[in-house]
Amino acid sequence: GAVVSQHPSRVICKSGTSVKIECRSLDFQATTMFWYRQFPKKSLMLMATSNEGSKATYEQGVEKDKFLINHASLTLSTLTVTSAHPEDSSFYICSAKTGGKDTEAFFGQGTRLTVV
Amino acid sequence: AQSVTQLGSHVSVSEGALVLLRCNYSSSVPPYLFWYVQYPNQGLQLLLKYTTGATLVKGINGFEAEFKKSETSFHLTKPSAHMSDAAEYFCAVSEGGANSKLTFGKGITLSVRP
């Protein structure tokens, strides 16, 4: 299957700083990318959907000014957690898919964010 | 609106025993259904999916699932569990389409006893 690479895999940052997570589709063009958050022992919660070249669509309850999503190219989307706080500590996962009705979404390996 | 119900949070089987992980869904349109596996601190890997056509779907690692519209179910099975099957399993539903997002169940942890 296609490969989606997420970087970094782990990051520790101080409260009040910002952290950027990258999601790259290595061998296909991703017209749509999704960002999820996963709490321990919990399911994946969709945060936002982004289409290349347009603004991301955020799910209800997700602060768009705190979780900045940029999908500037067909192979790269970034999630920036601004002014991070300990409660933002979580596992963040991206997925990417091409256009088309039945195309599969491929997942990155996730990023473990710890805010201290 | 769409939703997925995975009853129970943990299933434990003996190595070589049948694996059965249950999934029920709700969807306002014909659903696309998926099973994913997640190993610790990793992303999700697709096991199998149902979109249209044959209702019995075979996936990787010997897993299969059957779409039963009348029961709104998509249970995952494997005839003989292997130690390497121990992981977290998620059922998901989408309503298709280019931008379609996945709605996940809460996941089930599968343990395999020697």
Side-chain angles (χ1 to χ4, degrees):
Chain A
V3 178
V4 174
S5 176
Q6 217 174 310
H7 178 80
S9 58
R10 291 178 176 268
V11 58
I12 300 173
C13 71
K14 292 183 177 180
S15 288
T17 63
S18 295
V19 175
K20 180 182 285 188
I21 302 170
E22 292 187 347
C23 179
R24 293 182 184 272
S25 57
L26 298 187
D27 50 4
F28 68 100
Q29 293 186 324
T31 55
T32 305
M33 287 188 172
F34 304 88
W35 286 95
Y36 296 85
R37 182 172 178 176
Q38 185 178 31
F39 294 95
K41 304 296 184 184
K42 297 288 187 183
S43 185
L44 282 75
M45 180 194 77
L46 180 66
M47 300 174 67
T49 302
S50 74
N51 293 297
E52 184 266 338
S54 60
K55 289 184 178 180
T57 302
Y58 289 81
E59 295 299 302
Q60 190 173 8
V62 178
E63 298 176 62
K64 62 180 180 180
D65 293 330
K66 180 167 187 62
F67 298 101
L68 300 178
I69 292 172
N70 184 280
H71 191 168
S73 78
L74 285 171
T75 59
L76 173 65
S77 176
T78 59
L79 167 66
T80 301
V81 182
T82 62
S83 187
H85 290 279
E87 56 265 32
D88 298 325
S89 298
S90 192
F91 195 58
Y92 294 87
I93 305 176
C94 72
S95 73
K97 62 184 296 186
T98 61
K101 193 170 185 293
D102 290 342
T103 57
E104 177 183 338
F106 297 94
F107 285 79
Q109 68 270 43
T111 297
R112 172 73 60 193
L113 170 63
T114 303
V115 184
V116 298
Chain B
Q2 52 195 28
S3 66
V4 172
T5 301
Q6 292 182 254
L7 292 178
S9 60
H10 188 215
V11 170
S12 180
V13 300
S14 297
E15 191 173 18
L18 171 71
V19 176
L20 170 61
L21 304 180
R22 299 180 184 274
C23 172
N24 289 88
Y25 70 91
S26 173
S27 177
S28 56
V29 299
Y32 288 24
L33 295 159
F34 307 80
W35 274 100
Y36 289 89
V37 61
Q38 184 182 34
Y39 297 98
N41 291 309
Q42 293 188 27
L44 277 67
Q45 180 183 10
L46 180 67
L47 283 176
L48 48 79
K49 64 179 179 181
Y50 168 80
T51 55
T52 59
T55 56
L56 181 62
V57 180
K58 295 186 184 297
I60 62 171
N61 301 339
F63 285 94
E64 62 181 40
E66 186 171 11
F67 169 59
K68 292 187 177 180
K69 183 179 178 181
S70 61
E71 299 178 6
T72 61
S73 70
F74 191 56
H75 302 328
L76 182 71
T77 61
K78 181 173 180 178
S80 177
H82 192 272
M83 296 298 290
S84 61
D85 294 327
E88 190 81 11
Y89 290 81
F90 292 94
C91 181
V93 63
S94 82
E95 294 181 349
N99 265 12
S100 58
K101 55 188 179 182
L102 292 166
T103 298
F104 287 88
K106 61 182 177 65
I108 296 176
T109 302
L110 175 65
S111 299
V112 182
R113 304 185 300 272

